[in-house]
Amino acid sequence: APMRFITLVRKELASIWADKQALAIVFILPLAAVMALGFTGQGSGEMVDNLVAGRAANMGVVDLDTSVGYPDADLSDEFIAILAMQPSVTLTKYNTIFAANESLYYEKIIGFIIIGDGFEFNVSAHLPAFINFYADALYILAQPLMAKKVNDAIKDFKLAFNFTLDEINYQTDD
């Protein structure tokens, strides 16, 4: 059995060596594929930034937060204002998740953010607060675009209110 296998391998190698096109397919195409994948994997965060830079982000926001905890400011409203000031962001406020989901369905927005109840209390007590966002799965850049805008808004918000811990995180669904 081993001799049959060796004979078969020799026969296949002889036919590949005789056919230059097959030789190219066997050796050059895998090398080209590995190189292409290597180039796309380098600096992928930077590539995403380049892809989403300057793109318009028509987003919705649903503020369900009724908690209190920070004096002299409604932190969910402040966060929404900072998010609205991000470059190329157009923000639409919705009263219900259903209304935001309907706008997403009709492609009026690329996604929406939900600020849950307890946001202000958690942030002011230095506890983790979560922002959920839903992105259009058909628009491939919706999720990274929204993530970039939300991350930038979180950084600006933390600077504005002198929060230094990881009080705010986000979760996403397509």
Side-chain angles (χ1 to χ4, degrees):
M3 289 305 286
R4 289 174 110 183
F5 178 73
I6 292 171
T7 306
L8 182 63
V9 168
R10 274 191 196 151
K11 181 181 169 194
E12 287 299 316
L13 286 175
S15 67
I16 289 173
W17 284 114
D19 184 3
K20 300 302 180 201
Q21 196 173 22
L23 188 64
I25 290 171
V26 168
F27 291 107
I28 295 174
L29 284 181
L31 182 63
V34 168
M35 287 176 57
L37 289 174
F39 288 134
T40 58
Q42 290 177 342
S44 59
E46 188 177 302
M47 273 185 26
V48 169
D49 288 348
N50 290 339
L51 282 173
V52 299
R55 290 190 186 268
N58 297 326
M59 300 188 299
V61 64
V62 181
D63 185 3
L64 302 176
D65 185 32
T66 58
S67 67
V68 292
Y70 195 81
D72 304 326
D74 182 347
L75 291 183
S76 58
D77 284 345
E78 294 292 336
F79 180 77
I80 291 168
I82 289 172
L83 180 60
M85 289 189 300
Q86 297 302 310
S88 306
V89 169
T90 304
L91 209 55
T92 305
K93 283 187 169 183
Y94 295 98
N95 293 326
T96 64
I97 295 171
F98 178 80
N101 216 5
E102 189 173 41
S103 285
L104 179 61
Y105 178 79
Y106 288 112
E107 298 180 358
K108 295 177 183 173
I109 55 176
I110 64 168
F112 60 93
I113 297 156
I114 301 171
I115 299 176
D117 196 22
F119 176 84
E120 181 172 337
F121 177 80
N122 285 10
V123 170
S124 60
H126 301 287
L127 298 170
F130 290 95
I131 297 171
N132 294 309
F133 70 81
Y134 295 83
D136 184 354
L138 298 178
Y139 177 39
I140 197 162
L141 292 179
Q143 184 178 357
L145 182 57
M146 287 184 66
K148 170 108 173 82
K149 301 301 182 182
V150 169
N151 266 332
D152 291 348
I154 288 171
K155 287 176 192 171
D156 292 348
F157 179 81
K158 288 170 75 170
L159 282 174
F161 289 92
N162 200 24
F163 293 121
T164 56
L165 303 175
D166 291 330
E167 291 94 357
I168 305 171
N169 299 305
Y170 65 85
Q171 298 171 336
T172 178
D173 287 314
D174 289 337

